[in-house]
Amino acid sequence: MMSVEQLYEMLKKIQEEKGYYFNEDKVKVFHLLEGLLINKERYGYMCCPCRLSSSDREWDRDIICPCVYRAPDVEEYGSCYCNLYVSREWNEEKIPHAFVPERRPIEKVLGKR
Amino acid sequence: MNDCDVKLYALSTCIHCKDTKEFLRTCGVGYECVDVDKLGGEERRQVIEEIKRINPSCSFPTIIIGDKIIVGFRRDEIKEALNL
């Protein structure tokens, strides 16, 4: 199994090129990345650590990290739902660290329960 | 200090849930916690039904403080509900 440090380095390189930065709070980032590794073990895919998996990869495709809601959330709030990926401005505290509400449609949240 | 019951529905992997747990501990508040992602089968289904009754969007953390329901790590709302 990949270590948290390995995952951090790998994702940092790929995602920064796309304009998404890890939260500067490394303790939080490592907790979330550990969650991704746990979910990979549990479900077979890196389901968002802040959302409950349905255990169905196809159904959860929108919340496999990085989720499809990251782009609009970083655009609107400067941060994804988990505060894992943020904008440069968010890290530099040039924009407020607002509460990021759930953007996933409720029928997706409840559909497989 | 509050003397009402505090219950937390959480995910063990979720950072907002972790922040909520730490915040409650810092406030010296005892709480009952269910990490829903660690449950399986029928128990998981039952707990999800419980959560949906109080928070239809079934997101985490869902916090019950007395008769108040707080969805998400909303520090100010939690403090207010705890009369802190």
Side-chain angles (χ1 to χ4, degrees), chain B residues 2-31:
Chain B
N2 77 302
D3 55 2
C4 57
D5 288 335
V6 179
K7 185 166 184 178
L8 174 65
Y9 292 101
L11 300 176
S12 68
T13 53
C14 166
I15 199 71
H16 308 303
C17 300
K18 183 170 179 265
D19 286 344
T20 303
K21 292 171 190 174
E22 281 176 5
F23 182 68
L24 289 172
R25 268 197 296 273
T26 305
C27 294
V29 175
Y31 59 91

Short mmCIF file of all heavy atoms in Angstrom, two decimals, chain B residues 2-31:
data_model
loop_
_atom_site.label_atom_id
_atom_site.label_comp_id
_atom_site.label_asym_id
_atom_site.label_seq_id
_atom_site.Cartn_x
_atom_site.Cartn_y
_atom_site.Cartn_z
N ASN B 2 -22.79 23.08 29.78
CA ASN B 2 -24.05 22.44 29.39
C ASN B 2 -24.24 21.12 30.15
O ASN B 2 -23.29 20.51 30.60
CB ASN B 2 -24.06 22.14 27.89
CG ASN B 2 -23.22 20.92 27.57
OD1 ASN B 2 -22.03 20.89 27.88
ND2 ASN B 2 -23.82 19.94 26.98
N ASP B 3 -25.48 20.75 30.26
CA ASP B 3 -25.72 19.42 30.85
C ASP B 3 -26.67 18.63 29.94
O ASP B 3 -27.27 17.66 30.37
CB ASP B 3 -26.26 19.54 32.27
CG ASP B 3 -27.52 20.39 32.34
OD1 ASP B 3 -27.96 20.85 31.26
OD2 ASP B 3 -28.03 20.60 33.44
N CYS B 4 -26.79 19.08 28.67
CA CYS B 4 -27.67 18.34 27.76
C CYS B 4 -26.87 17.26 27.03
O CYS B 4 -25.64 17.27 27.00
CB CYS B 4 -28.34 19.30 26.77
SG CYS B 4 -27.19 20.26 25.81
N ASP B 5 -27.60 16.33 26.46
CA ASP B 5 -26.95 15.24 25.75
C ASP B 5 -26.40 15.72 24.41
O ASP B 5 -27.07 16.46 23.70
CB ASP B 5 -27.95 14.10 25.51
CG ASP B 5 -28.27 13.37 26.80
OD1 ASP B 5 -27.41 13.41 27.71
OD2 ASP B 5 -29.36 12.80 26.90
N VAL B 6 -25.21 15.30 24.10
CA VAL B 6 -24.60 15.65 22.82
C VAL B 6 -24.30 14.35 22.07
O VAL B 6 -23.65 13.45 22.61
CB VAL B 6 -23.29 16.45 23.02
CG1 VAL B 6 -22.66 16.79 21.68
CG2 VAL B 6 -23.55 17.72 23.82
N LYS B 7 -24.81 14.29 20.85
CA LYS B 7 -24.57 13.12 20.03
C LYS B 7 -24.04 13.55 18.67
O LYS B 7 -24.52 14.53 18.09
CB LYS B 7 -25.85 12.30 19.86
CG LYS B 7 -25.61 11.00 19.10
CD LYS B 7 -26.76 10.03 19.23
CE LYS B 7 -26.41 8.72 18.52
NZ LYS B 7 -27.44 7.71 18.63
N LEU B 8 -23.08 12.81 18.19
CA LEU B 8 -22.41 13.17 16.95
C LEU B 8 -22.44 11.99 15.99
O LEU B 8 -22.04 10.88 16.35
CB LEU B 8 -20.96 13.53 17.32
CG LEU B 8 -19.93 13.84 16.25
CD1 LEU B 8 -20.32 15.10 15.50
CD2 LEU B 8 -18.57 14.04 16.92
N TYR B 9 -22.95 12.25 14.79
CA TYR B 9 -22.84 11.27 13.71
C TYR B 9 -21.70 11.73 12.82
O TYR B 9 -21.72 12.87 12.32
CB TYR B 9 -24.13 11.20 12.90
CG TYR B 9 -25.32 10.64 13.66
CD1 TYR B 9 -26.28 11.47 14.20
CD2 TYR B 9 -25.46 9.26 13.83
CE1 TYR B 9 -27.37 10.97 14.89
CE2 TYR B 9 -26.55 8.73 14.51
CZ TYR B 9 -27.50 9.59 15.04
OH TYR B 9 -28.57 9.08 15.72
N ALA B 10 -20.71 10.87 12.64
CA ALA B 10 -19.48 11.30 11.98
C ALA B 10 -18.96 10.23 11.02
O ALA B 10 -19.47 9.11 10.97
CB ALA B 10 -18.43 11.60 13.04
N LEU B 11 -17.95 10.63 10.26
CA LEU B 11 -17.16 9.69 9.47
C LEU B 11 -15.74 9.74 10.04
O LEU B 11 -15.21 10.84 10.28
CB LEU B 11 -17.13 10.10 7.99
CG LEU B 11 -18.47 10.19 7.26
CD1 LEU B 11 -18.26 10.70 5.84
CD2 LEU B 11 -19.16 8.84 7.23
N SER B 12 -15.13 8.58 10.23
CA SER B 12 -13.80 8.56 10.85
C SER B 12 -12.75 9.25 9.97
O SER B 12 -11.73 9.72 10.46
CB SER B 12 -13.37 7.12 11.13
OG SER B 12 -13.15 6.41 9.93
N THR B 13 -13.02 9.32 8.66
CA THR B 13 -12.04 9.87 7.72
C THR B 13 -12.25 11.37 7.45
O THR B 13 -11.43 11.99 6.77
CB THR B 13 -12.13 9.13 6.37
OG1 THR B 13 -13.49 9.16 5.91
CG2 THR B 13 -11.68 7.69 6.48
N CYS B 14 -13.33 11.92 7.96
CA CYS B 14 -13.74 13.28 7.61
C CYS B 14 -13.06 14.32 8.51
O CYS B 14 -13.07 14.20 9.73
CB CYS B 14 -15.26 13.39 7.74
SG CYS B 14 -15.89 15.07 7.73
N ILE B 15 -12.50 15.34 7.88
CA ILE B 15 -11.76 16.34 8.64
C ILE B 15 -12.69 17.24 9.46
O ILE B 15 -12.35 17.66 10.57
CB ILE B 15 -10.85 17.18 7.71
CG1 ILE B 15 -9.76 17.89 8.50
CG2 ILE B 15 -11.63 18.18 6.88
CD1 ILE B 15 -8.70 16.99 9.04
N HIS B 16 -13.88 17.52 8.93
CA HIS B 16 -14.80 18.38 9.67
C HIS B 16 -15.33 17.65 10.90
O HIS B 16 -15.61 18.26 11.93
CB HIS B 16 -15.96 18.83 8.76
CG HIS B 16 -15.49 19.43 7.48
ND1 HIS B 16 -14.65 20.51 7.44
CD2 HIS B 16 -15.71 19.08 6.18
CE1 HIS B 16 -14.38 20.81 6.17
NE2 HIS B 16 -15.01 19.95 5.39
N CYS B 17 -15.47 16.33 10.78
CA CYS B 17 -15.88 15.52 11.93
C CYS B 17 -14.78 15.51 12.98
O CYS B 17 -15.03 15.64 14.17
CB CYS B 17 -16.20 14.10 11.48
SG CYS B 17 -17.52 14.01 10.25
N LYS B 18 -13.54 15.37 12.51
CA LYS B 18 -12.40 15.36 13.43
C LYS B 18 -12.30 16.71 14.15
O LYS B 18 -12.10 16.76 15.37
CB LYS B 18 -11.12 15.10 12.64
CG LYS B 18 -9.86 15.00 13.46
CD LYS B 18 -8.70 14.50 12.59
CE LYS B 18 -7.41 14.40 13.37
NZ LYS B 18 -6.58 15.61 13.23
N ASP B 19 -12.48 17.79 13.40
CA ASP B 19 -12.45 19.13 14.00
C ASP B 19 -13.56 19.28 15.05
O ASP B 19 -13.35 19.89 16.10
CB ASP B 19 -12.61 20.21 12.93
CG ASP B 19 -11.36 20.39 12.08
OD1 ASP B 19 -10.29 19.92 12.49
OD2 ASP B 19 -11.46 21.00 11.00
N THR B 20 -14.73 18.73 14.73
CA THR B 20 -15.86 18.83 15.67
C THR B 20 -15.55 18.06 16.95
O THR B 20 -15.78 18.57 18.06
CB THR B 20 -17.14 18.25 15.01
OG1 THR B 20 -17.38 18.96 13.80
CG2 THR B 20 -18.34 18.38 15.92
N LYS B 21 -15.01 16.85 16.80
CA LYS B 21 -14.66 16.05 17.99
C LYS B 21 -13.64 16.80 18.85
O LYS B 21 -13.78 16.88 20.07
CB LYS B 21 -14.08 14.70 17.55
CG LYS B 21 -15.07 13.77 16.88
CD LYS B 21 -14.35 12.54 16.30
CE LYS B 21 -15.27 11.73 15.40
NZ LYS B 21 -14.58 10.62 14.71
N GLU B 22 -12.63 17.37 18.20
CA GLU B 22 -11.59 18.09 18.95
C GLU B 22 -12.16 19.32 19.63
O GLU B 22 -11.80 19.63 20.77
CB GLU B 22 -10.44 18.50 18.00
CG GLU B 22 -9.53 17.33 17.71
CD GLU B 22 -8.43 17.65 16.69
OE1 GLU B 22 -8.32 18.83 16.28
OE2 GLU B 22 -7.72 16.72 16.31
N PHE B 23 -13.07 20.00 18.93
CA PHE B 23 -13.68 21.21 19.49
C PHE B 23 -14.50 20.87 20.73
O PHE B 23 -14.40 21.55 21.77
CB PHE B 23 -14.54 21.90 18.43
CG PHE B 23 -15.16 23.18 18.90
CD1 PHE B 23 -14.38 24.28 19.18
CD2 PHE B 23 -16.54 23.28 19.07
CE1 PHE B 23 -14.95 25.47 19.62
CE2 PHE B 23 -17.12 24.46 19.51
CZ PHE B 23 -16.32 25.56 19.78
N LEU B 24 -15.29 19.80 20.64
CA LEU B 24 -16.11 19.40 21.80
C LEU B 24 -15.22 19.01 22.98
O LEU B 24 -15.50 19.36 24.12
CB LEU B 24 -17.03 18.23 21.41
CG LEU B 24 -18.19 18.58 20.45
CD1 LEU B 24 -18.91 17.31 20.00
CD2 LEU B 24 -19.19 19.54 21.09
N ARG B 25 -14.13 18.31 22.66
CA ARG B 25 -13.20 17.92 23.73
C ARG B 25 -12.58 19.16 24.38
O ARG B 25 -12.49 19.25 25.60
CB ARG B 25 -12.08 17.03 23.17
CG ARG B 25 -12.40 15.53 23.25
CD ARG B 25 -11.14 14.68 23.10
NE ARG B 25 -10.54 14.84 21.78
CZ ARG B 25 -10.88 14.11 20.73
NH1 ARG B 25 -11.80 13.18 20.83
NH2 ARG B 25 -10.27 14.29 19.58
N THR B 26 -12.16 20.12 23.53
CA THR B 26 -11.57 21.36 24.03
C THR B 26 -12.54 22.10 24.94
O THR B 26 -12.14 22.72 25.93
CB THR B 26 -11.18 22.28 22.85
OG1 THR B 26 -10.32 21.54 21.99
CG2 THR B 26 -10.45 23.52 23.31
N CYS B 27 -13.83 22.03 24.57
CA CYS B 27 -14.86 22.69 25.38
C CYS B 27 -15.19 21.88 26.64
O CYS B 27 -16.02 22.32 27.45
CB CYS B 27 -16.14 22.89 24.56
SG CYS B 27 -15.94 24.03 23.20
N GLY B 28 -14.59 20.72 26.77
CA GLY B 28 -14.85 19.89 27.94
C GLY B 28 -16.22 19.23 27.91
O GLY B 28 -16.80 18.94 28.96
N VAL B 29 -16.73 19.03 26.69
CA VAL B 29 -18.07 18.48 26.54
C VAL B 29 -17.98 16.98 26.22
O VAL B 29 -17.29 16.58 25.28
CB VAL B 29 -18.81 19.21 25.39
CG1 VAL B 29 -20.16 18.56 25.13
CG2 VAL B 29 -18.98 20.68 25.72
N GLY B 30 -18.67 16.19 27.03
CA GLY B 30 -18.75 14.77 26.73
C GLY B 30 -19.77 14.53 25.63
O GLY B 30 -20.74 15.27 25.52
N TYR B 31 -19.54 13.54 24.79
CA TYR B 31 -20.48 13.28 23.70
C TYR B 31 -20.44 11.81 23.31
O TYR B 31 -19.45 11.12 23.52
CB TYR B 31 -20.15 14.16 22.48
CG TYR B 31 -18.76 13.94 21.92
CD1 TYR B 31 -18.52 13.01 20.92
CD2 TYR B 31 -17.67 14.66 22.43
CE1 TYR B 31 -17.25 12.80 20.42
CE2 TYR B 31 -16.40 14.46 21.93
CZ TYR B 31 -16.19 13.53 20.94
OH TYR B 31 -14.92 13.31 20.45
#
